[in-house]
């Protein structure tokens, strides 16, 4: 159950306290690190933060672990992670991009391996870019800034989304390099978690039973539960539900399929069962979500 006292950080909540280039409540570009939502009190990220440090130093916690940021470091804080105790040196400079989580997943939904790399980033939220990678990310962010400002462009949002997708390819390439260098020292639990996430990505539309995933990995459901919980602080069911819920959201937003058709495609026993499943996790019915 969520802690109601904990502040949620969204693109919309950022826009209430600072003026920065944005499109609706889907995308916001922060050109001054001091405007980034890195609070003193523990807060929950309800969007995705991607930022690059250019000068100085910063410290903050993600899921209680403290991280130090230096020039050429990239920062990724994902949906549902908890951040707090931030500190910036007087000379700290950087650029940040906040993306609505549904918007982010829409941008990467057809890109194989991408979400796995960003899951890797959940547990490695700061990593070093090569100097040429930093310059490339700065170029992307400059182009995104210019396109956001061109309000007369009929396809402004679509163009910005395409630029973000291209930038994410380059960010993910750096993630892949970092992940590859760390894979040799991965613990048994980390390897199980990585295998589990790969299985979920490929099979969540048909399979939601923990026992099935344990069978594929040749371990007991109890052992799988313990490994995933140890590495990610979330249960295997939480991960499966996140993938299923997000897929329902995307289908409701981006297709004209009926709720019954969505239920059939995602292997729910009935439309009413999908409706209850979705409302329990999102707070509104599929029909209300689509309407709003």
């Amino acid at each position: 159950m969520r802690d109601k006292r904990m502040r949620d950080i969204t693109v919309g909540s950022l826009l209430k306290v600072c003026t920065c280039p944005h499109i609706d409540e889907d995308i916001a570009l922060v050109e001054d690190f001091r405007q980034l939502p890195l609070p003193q009190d523990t807060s929950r990220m309800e969007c995705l933060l991607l930022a690059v440090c250019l000068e100085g130093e910063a410290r903050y916690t993600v899921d209680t672990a403290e991280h130090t940021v230096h020039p050429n470091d990239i920062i990724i804080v994902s949906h549902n992670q908890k951040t707090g105790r931030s500190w910036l040196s007087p000379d700290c400079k950087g650029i940040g991009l906040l993306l609505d989580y549904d918007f982010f997943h829409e941008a990467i939904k057809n890109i194989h391996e991408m979400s796995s790399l960003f899951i890797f980033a959940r547990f490695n939220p700061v990593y070093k870019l090569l100097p040429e990678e930093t310059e490339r990310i700065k170029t992307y962010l400059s182009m995104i800034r210019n396109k956001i400002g061109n309000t007369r462009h009929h396809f402004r949002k679509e163009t910005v989304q395409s630029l973000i997708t291209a930038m994410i390819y380059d960010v993910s390439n750096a993630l892949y390099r970092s992940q590859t260098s760390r894979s040799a020292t991965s613990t048994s639990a980390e390897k199980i978690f990585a295998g589990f996430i790969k299985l979920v990505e490929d099979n969540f539309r048909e399979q939601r039973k923990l026992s099935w995933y344990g069978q594929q990995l040749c371990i007991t459901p109890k052992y799988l539960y313990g490994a995933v919980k140890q590495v990610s602080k979330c249960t295997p069911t939480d991960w499966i539900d996140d993938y299923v819920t997000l897929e329902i959201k995307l289908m409701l937003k981006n297709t004209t399929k009926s709720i019954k058709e969505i239920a059939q495609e995602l292997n729910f026993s009935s439309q009413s069962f999908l409706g209850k499943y979705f409302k329990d996790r999102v707070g509104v019915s599929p029909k209300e979500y689509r309407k709003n």
Side-chain angles (χ1 to χ4, degrees):
M1 182 176 293
R2 284 180 179 273
D3 183 350
K4 298 297 183 182
R5 297 167 298 177
M6 190 178 297
R7 182 164 68 96
D8 288 345
I9 297 173
T10 65
V11 177
S13 67
L14 171 72
L15 296 175
K16 289 177 181 177
V17 297
C18 78
T19 302
C20 58
H22 67 279
I23 297 178
D24 304 324
E25 293 188 0
D26 288 329
I27 311 157
L29 181 68
V30 181
E31 298 172 285
D32 179 354
F33 249 21
R34 297 185 179 279
Q35 293 181 314
L36 281 172
L38 298 175
Q40 291 300 315
D41 298 329
T42 301
S43 299
R44 182 189 295 107
M45 290 296 296
E46 287 296 324
C47 55
L48 182 130
L49 167 66
L50 191 154
V52 180
C53 180
L54 303 176
E55 296 179 24
E57 183 179 305
R59 287 195 299 272
Y60 67 104
T61 62
V62 176
D63 293 337
T64 72
E66 184 171 273
H67 300 274
T68 301
V69 181
H70 298 101
N72 289 329
D73 281 350
I74 192 165
I75 307 157
I76 297 177
V77 186
S78 297
H79 175 257
N80 242 354
Q81 290 195 291
K82 299 171 184 67
T83 183
R85 301 213 316 262
S86 63
W87 172 86
L88 302 176
S89 66
D91 60 341
C92 187
K93 293 181 180 178
I95 311 170
L97 191 67
L98 268 74
L99 302 174
D100 172 78
Y101 200 60
D102 290 352
F103 176 89
F104 165 70
H105 268 275
E106 198 170 327
I108 69 166
K109 63 183 178 182
N110 295 319
I111 308 173
H112 187 60
E113 288 191 85
M114 199 71 80
S115 54
S116 290
L117 289 166
F118 272 82
I119 287 166
F120 168 75
R122 290 181 71 93
F123 312 108
N124 302 273
V126 177
Y127 62 97
K128 182 70 67 181
L129 294 174
L130 301 174
E132 59 268 26
E133 291 172 334
T134 300
E135 290 304 312
R136 198 173 301 126
I137 300 304
K138 284 170 61 180
T139 299
Y140 278 122
L141 291 171
S142 176
M143 293 170 68
I144 289 167
R145 170 69 175 86
N146 291 336
K147 288 299 180 184
I148 289 176
N150 186 3
T151 56
R152 299 178 66 182
H153 195 301
H154 183 69
F155 299 103
R156 178 174 67 127
K157 188 172 182 177
E158 291 80 3
T159 305
V160 169
Q161 185 180 55
S162 295
L163 286 169
I164 288 171
T165 301
M167 182 182 71
I168 287 172
Y169 269 116
D170 276 303
V171 170
S172 295
N173 185 60
L175 271 173
Y176 181 76
R177 173 173 48 78
S178 180
Q179 184 186 40
T180 302
S181 67
R182 291 172 61 95
S183 60
T185 60
S186 294
T187 66
S188 173
E190 288 171 337
K191 290 175 181 176
I192 289 170
F193 175 72
F196 168 71
I197 289 297
K198 178 70 168 61
L199 280 171
V200 173
E201 285 188 334
D202 292 341
N203 298 282
F204 73 89
R205 295 170 184 82
E206 296 83 28
Q207 298 291 344
R208 288 189 284 278
K209 289 185 178 179
L210 186 59
S211 58
W212 185 88
Y213 288 95
Q215 287 174 359
Q216 304 309 304
L217 294 167
C218 301
I219 56 177
T220 65
K222 183 178 179 181
Y223 194 84
L224 173 60
Y225 180 98
V228 172
K229 182 77 172 177
Q230 176 189 330
V231 173
S232 72
K233 309 296 188 298
C234 296
T235 70
T237 302
D238 290 335
W239 281 104
I240 296 166
D241 285 347
D242 276 354
Y243 273 86
V244 174
T245 303
L246 181 62
E247 185 72 5
I248 297 171
K249 285 182 176 181
L250 292 173
M251 293 174 80
L252 289 169
K253 285 177 67 175
N254 300 316
T255 76
T256 57
K257 292 178 180 178
S258 69
I259 296 169
K260 182 178 180 180
E261 288 173 324
I262 294 172
Q264 291 172 339
E265 192 166 324
L266 295 180
N267 202 29
F268 282 89
S269 58
S270 67
Q271 176 180 331
S272 61
F273 186 66
L274 179 143
K276 184 179 185 304
Y277 178 95
F278 188 81
K279 188 167 185 178
D280 286 347
R281 289 156 182 79
V282 180
V284 297
S285 70
K287 185 177 180 180
E288 290 172 309
Y289 183 84
R290 172 170 271 173
K291 181 179 178 182
N292 293 328

